[in-house]
Amino acid sequence: MSTTAIDQTDAPAEAGAGHPSPEAAARTPSRRRRRTPLTWLRGGGLWNLAFLAPMLIVFGVFSWWPIARSVVMSFQKTNLISDPVWVGLDNFARVLADPNLGTAVVNTLYFAGLALVFGFPLPIIMAVLMSEVRRGKGLYSALAYLPVVVPPVVAVLLWKVFYNASPDGVFNTILGWVGIPPQPWLQSQATAMPSLVIEATWAAAGGSIIIYLAALIAVPPELYDAAEVDGAGIWRKIWHVTLPQLRGILFIMLILQVIGTAQVFLEPYLFTGGGPNNATLTVLLLIYRYAFQNSLGGAYGEATALSLMLAVFLGLLSWLYFKLTDRWSTN
């Protein structure tokens, strides 16, 4: 064999030695291209920024700037009329020393607890029952969502008429049909908060029902067929098929409801104004009293301080909740 033949035979091997196999290339970490302002511009970064600019301006003016301004105001003594005076942590100290704060926190927790006991499972039950209906499902969905369409102020004023404590009131008349004596509803410390929870549950349940109905559509029908083959009834199918499949959305809706009930304001403000005897005074209603307790301007520093404490508490609660339920909601 000639030298030329040997060189031609070894050429592919030598060429292959300089080019690793696909397996070796896959094992070799790829070098990331270094990001510079020039590469950002070439990649269309300026156009992306121009596209996002209107949204950033709107959020900055109407959301982020008020939040930053409220943080600054929490360390100032101001009523938005006179010049603000820097007082440091005095606003937080005055809020924590207010005897009404404990009452507001307990009432807010009471409202949140009642709302979770009655208001959280009710939309799930209604959605499951409506998903089993064969005819008229659209009509039932529209009727369930109808309270959400009603303006909240109109709904509260309407229910305030229903809660008339006289024997001729709407609800007391209905109770009289079954032999139950008239109830004081909003006029009693014992029944005022449950009355607010009933109206709030009626007003908010429709949105949750629609969300659960949409989630139920994604449940594979094969799971229900397999459960029927195993002899499972309706309740066992709900417990072993439906609820596990809705686990992720259930955890999300639970934390959203906790955050929403912790910020309840409209119902206690319009129904009772925090009464009777502060029985329905909530944290947000207390913030409102700080800010607008007189016509010359209230203690906005104390109001923003309490608002900031509430925001920090809800943020920590949400973070802890997602840390604890991360594995449960995915496994």
Side-chain angles (χ1 to χ4, degrees), residues 10-317:
D10 293 342
E14 293 176 358
H19 299 278
S21 63
E23 293 79 10
R27 291 192 299 267
T28 303
S30 60
R31 292 184 178 180
R32 291 185 177 181
R33 183 176 299 178
R34 188 175 180 181
R35 299 285 294 178
T36 63
L38 185 59
T39 58
W40 179 77
L41 287 174
R42 291 176 177 175
L46 195 59
W47 286 106
N48 295 336
L49 183 60
F51 181 77
L52 293 175
M55 183 190 68
L56 295 177
I57 293 174
V58 170
F59 271 90
V61 172
F62 296 102
S63 182
W64 300 328
W65 170 247
I67 292 175
R69 186 72 182 91
S70 64
V71 173
V72 175
M73 287 179 59
S74 65
F75 298 100
Q76 296 175 336
K77 181 177 179 59
T78 177
N79 57 4
L80 300 183
I81 300 176
S82 58
D83 293 334
V85 179
W86 191 267
V87 294
L89 298 176
D90 289 352
N91 289 328
F92 295 90
R94 282 194 290 268
V95 169
L96 293 175
D98 188 351
N100 288 327
L101 178 61
T103 302
V105 171
V106 171
N107 290 339
T108 303
L109 293 176
Y110 183 37
F111 182 93
L114 288 178
L116 289 177
V117 171
F118 297 104
F120 185 70
L122 180 62
I124 304 173
I125 297 173
M126 295 295 296
V128 172
L129 293 178
M130 291 170 59
S131 66
E132 296 295 327
V133 175
R134 302 301 179 186
R135 302 177 61 181
K137 186 179 297 186
L139 176 62
Y140 296 137
S141 301
L143 293 176
Y145 194 73
L146 183 61
V148 183
V149 181
V150 179
V153 176
V154 175
V156 170
L157 295 178
L158 183 64
W159 276 70
K160 198 170 184 178
V161 176
F162 295 163
Y163 279 140
N164 187 352
S166 67
D168 297 332
V170 176
F171 287 158
N172 283 337
T173 300
I174 296 174
L175 293 179
W177 295 343
V178 293
I180 300 177
Q183 300 299 313
W185 301 113
L186 302 174
Q187 282 69 37
S188 171
Q189 297 184 42
T191 58
M193 189 64 79
S195 300
L196 267 61
V197 171
I198 293 174
E199 189 279 334
T201 301
W202 171 85
S208 300
I209 291 175
I210 297 301
I211 293 175
Y212 290 134
L213 282 175
L216 286 170
I217 296 176
V219 178
E222 296 81 7
L223 298 178
Y224 293 109
D225 296 338
E228 289 183 0
V229 171
D230 292 339
I234 179 64
W235 296 113
R236 290 185 63 187
K237 287 193 293 183
I238 293 174
W239 184 258
H240 294 287
V241 178
T242 304
L243 293 181
Q245 292 295 315
L246 298 181
R247 183 164 42 192
I249 191 65
L250 286 175
F251 282 123
I252 296 296
M253 294 297 292
L254 179 60
I255 190 60
L256 290 178
Q257 182 163 350
V258 170
I259 294 174
T261 53
Q263 302 180 73
V264 59
F265 169 76
L266 184 66
E267 286 79 9
Y269 175 69
L270 292 180
F271 270 123
T272 61
N277 196 22
N278 287 337
T280 56
L281 177 64
T282 60
V283 174
L284 243 64
L285 187 55
L286 182 60
I287 294 173
Y288 176 85
R289 288 184 178 181
Y290 281 144
F292 305 103
Q293 58 188 352
N294 60 68
S295 59
L296 297 178
Y300 289 98
E302 297 175 11
T304 53
L306 183 53
S307 301
L308 188 61
M309 288 191 288
L310 178 62
V312 171
F313 170 77
L314 292 178
L316 292 176
L317 179 64

